[in-house]
Amino acid sequence: DGGITQSPKYLFRKEGQNVTLSCEQNLNHDAMYWYRQDPGQGLRLIYYSQIVNDFQKGDIAEGYSVSREKKESFPLTVTSAQKNPTAFYLCASSINFPGELFFGEGSRLTVL
Amino acid sequence: KNQVEQSPQSLIILEGKNCTLQCNYTVSPFSNLRWYKQDTGRGPVSLTIMTFSENTKSNGRYTATLDADTKQSSLHITASQLSDSASYICVVRAEGAGSYQLTFGKGTKLSVIP
């Protein structure tokens, strides 16, 4: 079935460590996005990519990095520079940019 | 500043009852408005999308309305089921060539009890 796969579902990290969240889509969508969701807040955009080999910062890019080497993949690295990384991370894609978003199931990162 | 306000913050209803969720926005210029359903610990799923010219749109037991003049939208759920328990998120897109302007509401958490 076509869709967006995020992994891992749950991840624990010690302070000072980098961690990479995976996002893969087989929908043949051009655009991909990373959002952060915190309790009681709306989704906030971290990074987005309109097309392969291109990406732009969103509203809260500090402490995060991404790559878009393949159309299907848009991994997010949460670096040690991110001061409050514990959150629920959602990856999304759209057939073109901008377009209707299709979300993955999310990855919950907890920093110990 | 573009804003999306949803009310109520949370709601508890009995199975079989109807309910209405509200979304007020100040996004300008307006492009479209979407309602998403998000089950706990899962990704949001689109329920409906409404453009400026649309007043009402239904998706099964879900009916969304849009009043672009007052910048208000509502999501009406008919004959609620236990599986309707979720957060409902209103998202408004601003118009703008080459831009990416989505403003998310904080959501309404709906609990349907037997």
Side-chain angles (χ1 to χ4, degrees):
Chain A
D1 286 354
I4 301 174
T5 302
Q6 290 187 238
S7 63
K9 178 73 173 175
Y10 300 96
L11 185 61
F12 296 88
R13 185 195 95 177
K14 292 182 179 180
E15 280 192 22
Q17 290 180 335
N18 293 353
V19 61
T20 297
L21 307 181
S22 171
C23 178
E24 303 279 333
Q25 55 99 359
N26 60 5
L27 299 169
N28 200 32
H29 285 178
D30 282 330
M32 298 187 74
Y33 315 79
W34 274 104
Y35 286 91
R36 171 179 172 143
Q37 187 174 36
D38 294 285
Q41 294 194 36
L43 271 68
R44 292 182 290 170
L45 181 65
I46 304 172
Y47 269 98
Y48 66 98
S49 169
Q50 299 183 49
I51 198 167
V52 68
N53 291 323
D54 181 67
F55 52 82
Q56 284 80 40
K57 293 181 178 180
D59 300 319
I60 56 166
E62 184 176 353
Y64 300 98
S65 66
V66 294
S67 63
R68 187 82 188 278
E69 298 176 359
K70 297 187 300 181
K71 186 176 185 178
E72 306 79 24
S73 179
F74 192 41
L76 174 73
T77 297
V78 184
T79 74
S80 56
Q82 169 50 233
K83 294 175 180 165
N84 185 20
T86 295
F88 189 54
Y89 291 88
L90 285 162
C91 179
S93 69
S94 61
I95 193 167
N96 50 29
F97 182 87
E100 181 177 0
L101 298 179
F102 293 83
F103 286 91
E105 289 299 297
S107 293
R108 185 168 298 280
L109 172 63
T110 302
V111 174
L112 305 174
Chain B
K1 180 182 177 183
N2 291 335
Q3 287 187 315
V4 174
E5 299 289 340
Q6 292 188 243
S7 62
Q9 186 174 356
S10 62
L11 181 63
I12 301 173
I13 62 172
L14 291 173
E15 185 179 11
K17 298 296 186 182
N18 302 338
C19 68
T20 300
L21 313 180
Q22 299 290 345
C23 173
N24 296 339
Y25 61 92
T26 59
V27 176
S28 182
F30 175 84
S31 177
N32 60 55
L33 181 147
R34 304 166 187 182
W35 284 95
Y36 286 87
K37 177 186 179 186
Q38 184 178 23
D39 293 322
T40 301
R42 308 287 295 273
V45 175
S46 178
L47 292 175
T48 185
I49 178 171
M50 303 190 74
T51 58
F52 186 86
S53 59
E54 295 174 310
N55 298 116
T56 304
K57 185 176 281 189
S58 292
N59 178 1
R61 295 181 296 102
Y62 301 100
T63 299
T65 65
L66 175 66
D67 186 334
D69 292 331
T70 62
K71 298 186 177 181
Q72 296 180 327
S73 176
S74 66
L75 181 69
H76 185 74
I77 304 175
T78 304
S80 62
Q81 300 176 357
L82 298 179
S83 59
D84 292 330
S85 296
S87 288
Y88 292 84
I89 302 172
C90 176
V91 186
V92 182
R93 181 184 296 282
E95 190 71 54
S99 69
Y100 186 76
Q101 289 284 351
L102 278 186
T103 304
F104 288 78
K106 296 179 180 180
T108 292
K109 185 171 183 178
L110 174 65
S111 299
V112 180
I113 60 175

